[in-house]
Structures are given as structure tokens and as C-alpha cells.
Amino acid sequence: MTSPNFLLLLLVQTLMIGLRADLPGTWELLVANAGIATMHTAVTRFNTVVLLDRTNIGPTRKMLRPGHCRIDPQDPLLKRDCYAHSALFDPATGLIRPLMILTDTWCSSGQFLPDGTLLQTGGDRDGVKKIRKFIPCEKTSFCDWEELEEVELAQGRWYSTNQILPDGSVIIVGGRATASVEFFPSRHGGGAVNFPFLAEAEDTQMDNLYPYVHLLPNGHLFVFANNRAVLYDYTNNKVLKQYPKLDGGPRNYPSAGSSAMLALRGDHSSATIVVCGGAQFGAFIERNTDTPAHGSCGRIEATELNAVWEMEDMPFGRIMGDMVLLPTGDVLIINGAEAGTQGFEMASQPCLYPLLYRPDEPVGLRFMTLNPGSVPRMYHSTANLLPDGRILIAGSNPHYFYKFEAEFPTELRIEAFSPEYLLAEKANIRPTILELPEKINYGGGFDVVVTTELPVVGIIEVNIASAPFATHSFSQGQRLVKLAVSSAVPDAVGSYRISCMAPPDGRVAPPGYYMVFAVNTGVPSVAKWVKLL
């Protein structure tokens, strides 16, 4: 039966149809049937996208390669499973190639390593201690998941968070009933290290899962769980600072807010963290799908001595929103719902309107409402920045298994949202990168050559963006760094040379592959990949 709240939402959307043409942004359907519902997504340096779901959900709508089946006597539904639960998607062609995953990746975590390998850790059941690797390859080659047999996690990790560190290793933080951290490659003799803050942040409905972890340019971690945050020295396992509590209720899973660290700029010494949205405490315990989400955001200068939260409100209450750093430094908030919590069949009132958060505007003017989509993106949705500047939108399965006859069915469509900077009328100021080194060194200078149709007015920015692992309303390892640049100097007819300075060290930008965007008057180029080392 269709809920009254959903009918009311449809009525409101109908009334808004006439206004949509005036709202920025456009939508396009990339794939009508991806074959799997996507719980986790990550963009590789070959411009492909890893799609990943659970393994113990029964048949998907995508078969594995002939002769390849997963044999698991413990699987509750399929002892011999010939269906794909992961795939590699090429946005340029729409092609989807099945990948073979053996252990359960439900509510797992991930991060790219410096060599471009996607590290994937934990999950449920047989995957809870598992470490997996996906080594991306050229589109004409074949690559698949590798499940490591000789090493495993020291503790089971379900709903944990990964963050790459300045030396290229990865810290794995928390998880359900796991108030500890550990590292890949392993440290401390291969064991986990107790992190009491996570236990202190737990409440009767948890709210400390998928903690928000941001690497600050001072080399320490900003770790947020529930409504609390600390400055964490992971090298010495020491909490250096406790930040003030953030008002407005719990923000982490299952209360479903989101967080991003704003673009690092200037001398890269300061960092600003934003945490937006969340559910009312108690909604998860009571399984109340109609409890309104809150729309408050907290913003804090995490590197300041006496940092305090600055509060502001979004136009909508929102849970399960994804925060995506755009090449310009603005933040897109997309997906989610206006009532309930995270969890299977625990939310209602899909929030179809994306928001643009403009950090440089004053409080009260930072949020812009964008053109709404038409596909509800509820629990287990994802959003990722693509190298061409679009945002890939995938997933939404608020059911334990695949269920297509429901108010909010399992969603197999993949879409792209194009921010206003991709409008056709801005094409003549969109730069194209002609020359860029394949590798850049910390603290070193390098040149970028770009071309535009119209003469350059002002400074062309050169910004580098990481490729995060997106899951459960948080993009693990997401980062945007605005580089120090010179004014664009004419290099040839219609082209310009820009002198750039690479980040000073791995605290500002950990080693690995980054998308490089040239941004002219707020309009980004198509990115090229560079290896920072």
C-alpha cells in the first residue's frame, strides 16, 4: 500500500514541475539495468567504475562469466551462485562487465592504495575479516577481484571506515562492536589497537558506525562518531583534542548524516569539516519511518586551537545524503530521504532535490536547490565524481533481498547528474587540458597547458581530486586540493601554460592517483589522471 506521505510528496513534486526548468542541473539515464544494486562504488584511474553489492542476497539480474560460479555451502539462498554481485562499469560506453566476489561485502569499506589498487576490507559473515584487492586495468584488458588468503583483519570489521595515510598505508577505523583501529599493511605485530572514543560515542542504537574520518594537513585524523569528534594521533594512539559536541542529534549510521572536508587551499595548513543532516534519536529503535529528518549542518575549522561548530540549516531535512566534492570546491548533496533512518525499509519521503553547498558564501546563502531527479535513491545509494565533471548516481535497495514490487523498489538504474557548470552555453569557457605530466613529485613544480575557445580572464585554477570509496552516505578518502598556480600565460594560439606547485607532502595529499581539473571561471575541464609521489 502506498503511504500517505509518499502521495503527498508526489503531489508536491507535481506542483513543482513548472519550476524545474528554472533550477540548475540536468539528469540523464546512463544504464536502464545494471544487473546489480550498488551498495559501494569507486572510480578507477582508467575511468571505469567498480560496482559492488552483497553476496548472500540470492539471484541478481547479472550472470557471471560462463563456467564461473561461487560455491558456498553456508550461503542461506544459493549454495551454487552463478550471479554477479560486483561489476565494472564504463560510463563512456555503458558496458557492464561482471566481476567475481567470493566473500560477503555487506557494509564493508574500501580505499585506493598509492598504486591505484582498490583495497576492500571486512563485511558480514564469511567476509567480516576478509581483505580483498581489485587492481584496475585498461578497458581492453581483463581484471577481477583477488581475495587475499595469507592475511586477514585482526578483528571483524562491519560498518568500518578506511582512510589512506601520508605514507600510503591505510587505517581501518571502527565497526560494529569494534572500538579499535588497525592498519594495512599491518602494524603493531598485526593486531588491532584499542580506540576507546568509539565505545564512548556509542548509544543504545549504536550511532558510531561508519565514523567520519578525515586526514588533516597536520597529519592527524579528525574522527567523528554520533555527535562527537576528536583529533586523533594514530601513530601514538592518543586523542589530542576533544571538539565540542555537535548539536542536532546523532549523525552517523544508522542516523544517517554525511560529512566532507572542504577543499584544501592557500598554504594548505587549515582544514574545514562539514557534517550535515541526520535522524532524530529514537527513530531507529522504534523503526519509525515517518520521523522527520533534521536539516542542520555543523561546520568547524578543525585545525584551529579553539574550534567551535558554526550551525546552519539546509532547505530540507535529509538522511542518507551523499556529499560530493566538485572540481570547483563546492559540495553537492544528493540522494536520501526526509524521514526515518538508515536500515532496511526504515525510511520514507525520498528527497529528490540535490543541493549545492557553496562554502565561500556567508551563512544563510550557502545552499542552492537544484533540479530534482525522478528516481528515489534511498538506503544503499551512492554518488561519485566522474572525470568529466558529472556525478554518477547508483544504487538504492532498502530491502534485505532484491524486491522490485515495493513502494521503493530495488533500483538497478544508473544515472548521471550534471551540475550547472556543464551547461552548453558555458562550453566556450570550458578549458581542455592539452599537456600534463603523468607523475608529479611532492613540493615540485610542473606545467599544465590548456586551451579554451574564449580568451582567459583571471586565474585558471588547477585542482586535484581523489577517487573515494563511496558507501552509506560517506565517501571514504574524499579529498580536493587547490594547487598554487601562476597566471595563465599564452603558449600558442588559443592555448595557455600554467605553472603549478604540487602539494608539499602526504599530509596534504596522500600518495596515489588523482584527477586533475583545470577550472576556468567556475567551469572545470575533463580531468586527466596524475600520479602523486
Side-chain angles (χ1 to χ4, degrees):
M1 179 179 295
T2 303
S3 72
N5 286 326
F6 187 61
L7 291 174
L8 177 61
L9 180 65
L10 288 176
L11 176 61
V12 172
Q13 291 170 4
T14 300
L15 294 174
M16 291 294 292
I17 286 176
L19 300 177
R20 290 185 178 186
D22 297 327
L23 296 177
T26 57
W27 291 84
E28 60 183 307
L29 179 66
L30 298 183
V31 174
N33 184 353
I36 66 172
T38 305
M39 185 185 302
H40 319 289
T41 46
V43 178
T44 79
R45 64 188 180 95
F46 296 107
N47 298 337
T48 54
V49 185
V50 177
L51 312 176
L52 189 58
D53 198 10
R54 297 159 50 204
T55 57
N56 61 347
I57 51 175
T60 64
R61 298 298 184 268
K62 189 86 175 169
M63 302 298 296
L64 288 166
R65 290 176 294 150
H68 290 73
C69 297
R70 183 177 63 93
I71 308 301
D72 184 0
Q74 305 302 316
D75 192 297
L77 295 178
L78 293 173
K79 312 303 181 188
R80 184 174 184 270
D81 186 356
C82 302
Y83 293 90
H85 302 284
S86 180
L88 193 64
F89 171 54
D90 181 0
T93 63
L95 295 178
I96 297 176
R97 180 170 64 78
L99 301 175
M100 190 168 186
I101 196 88
L102 297 177
T103 55
D104 192 12
T105 56
W106 181 16
C107 299
S108 53
S109 52
Q111 191 80 149
F112 280 104
L113 299 175
D115 66 356
T117 296
L118 178 60
L119 180 76
Q120 224 276 323
T121 58
D124 191 28
R125 298 168 64 90
D126 61 350
V128 71
K129 284 191 173 183
K130 202 67 181 177
I131 300 174
R132 313 166 193 87
K133 285 185 174 182
F134 180 79
I135 302 176
C137 56
E138 296 280 1
K139 296 177 183 180
T140 55
S141 303
F142 181 83
C143 40
D144 210 336
W145 285 102
E146 174 191 2
E147 312 238 357
L148 304 189
E149 299 296 337
E150 297 181 359
V151 295
E152 66 176 13
L153 297 172
Q155 294 186 339
R157 302 283 171 182
W158 194 25
Y159 301 92
S160 64
T161 299
N162 290 6
Q163 170 63 55
I164 188 170
L165 299 173
D167 65 355
S169 64
V170 172
I171 188 170
I172 307 161
V173 181
R176 189 168 185 174
T178 313
S180 65
V181 305
E182 58 183 287
F183 300 85
F184 181 89
S186 62
R187 304 183 186 181
H188 309 288
V193 178
N194 190 35
F195 187 25
F197 164 72
L198 293 176
E200 296 163 3
E202 185 174 1
D203 57 31
T204 53
Q205 58 180 18
M206 296 171 290
D207 283 323
N208 66 342
L209 303 182
Y210 279 126
Y212 305 145
V213 181
H214 301 285
L215 174 65
L216 302 181
N218 58 19
H220 302 310
L221 297 178
F222 179 95
V223 183
F224 185 100
N226 197 332
N227 60 358
R228 301 176 53 188
V230 295
L231 181 65
Y232 179 49
D233 175 358
Y234 60 87
T235 302
N236 299 299
N237 189 32
K238 183 178 181 180
V239 171
L240 303 177
K241 175 193 290 188
Q242 293 203 23
Y243 295 93
K245 287 186 178 180
L246 176 58
D247 293 335
R251 307 280 182 158
N252 293 78
Y253 186 96
S255 291
S258 189
S259 177
M261 182 172 72
L262 300 181
L264 300 178
R265 60 181 73 194
D267 65 1
H268 304 132
S269 63
S270 62
T272 304
I273 309 296
V274 178
V275 179
C276 290
Q280 301 296 331
F281 178 80
F284 181 78
I285 296 173
E286 299 165 4
R287 297 189 62 84
N288 190 331
T289 62
D290 294 324
T291 301
H294 60 73
S296 65
C297 289
R299 170 170 165 161
I300 194 167
E301 305 297 327
T303 46
E304 285 190 356
L305 182 61
N306 297 308
V308 295
W309 292 99
E310 176 187 70
M311 302 302 297
E312 53 193 320
D313 289 316
M314 296 185 287
F316 306 95
R318 190 187 299 257
I319 56 169
M320 299 183 290
D322 289 280
M323 301 182 75
V324 181
L325 287 170
L326 300 181
T328 57
D330 291 340
V331 182
L332 181 72
I333 306 174
I334 200 165
N335 297 337
E338 295 187 50
T341 67
Q342 276 176 319
F344 292 118
E345 301 176 355
M346 292 282 285
S348 65
Q349 302 178 41
C351 193
L352 300 176
Y353 286 86
L355 297 174
L356 186 67
Y357 179 78
R358 300 167 294 181
D360 295 335
E361 297 294 330
V363 173
L365 298 176
R366 290 178 179 152
F367 291 103
M368 175 188 291
T369 302
L370 305 180
N371 187 28
S374 59
V375 179
R377 298 289 182 175
M378 308 288 278
Y379 188 41
H380 290 151
S381 300
T382 61
N384 296 76
L385 175 66
L386 293 174
D388 62 13
R390 295 179 298 172
I391 311 303
L392 184 89
I393 307 296
S396 186
N397 186 17
H399 313 289
Y400 195 87
F401 303 112
Y402 281 25
K403 188 174 182 180
F404 298 99
E405 301 297 327
E407 182 177 0
F408 306 118
T410 301
E411 187 55 64
L412 302 182
R413 285 172 286 185
I414 298 178
E415 298 177 286
F417 178 77
S418 294
E420 187 180 21
Y421 55 55
L422 294 180
L423 288 176
E425 52 263 37
K426 297 193 176 185
N428 55 6
I429 60 172
R430 189 177 196 190
T432 298
I433 297 177
L434 299 179
E435 295 179 22
L436 175 73
E438 292 183 358
K439 300 178 181 179
I440 57 176
N441 297 308
Y442 286 116
F446 65 98
D447 288 351
V448 175
V449 176
V450 304
T451 184
T452 64
E453 290 185 24
L454 294 180
V456 168
V457 177
I459 298 291
I460 294 182
E461 295 181 353
V462 177
N463 303 333
I464 65 172
S466 67
F469 180 85
T471 187
H472 289 77
S473 307
F474 183 63
S475 289
Q476 301 178 17
Q478 182 172 222
R479 202 171 201 85
L480 183 76
V481 181
K482 296 195 171 193
L483 303 183
V485 298
S486 68
S487 298
V489 176
D491 190 64
V493 177
S495 67
Y496 298 84
R497 184 172 296 271
I498 307 165
S499 297
C500 309
M501 184 63 67
D505 53 46
R507 298 175 303 173
V508 173
Y513 286 91
Y514 288 82
M515 292 177 276
V516 179
F517 293 92
V519 182
N520 182 25
T521 320
V523 179
S525 67
V526 173
K528 291 185 178 294
W529 292 88
V530 71
K531 188 173 185 180
L532 174 62
L533 68 165

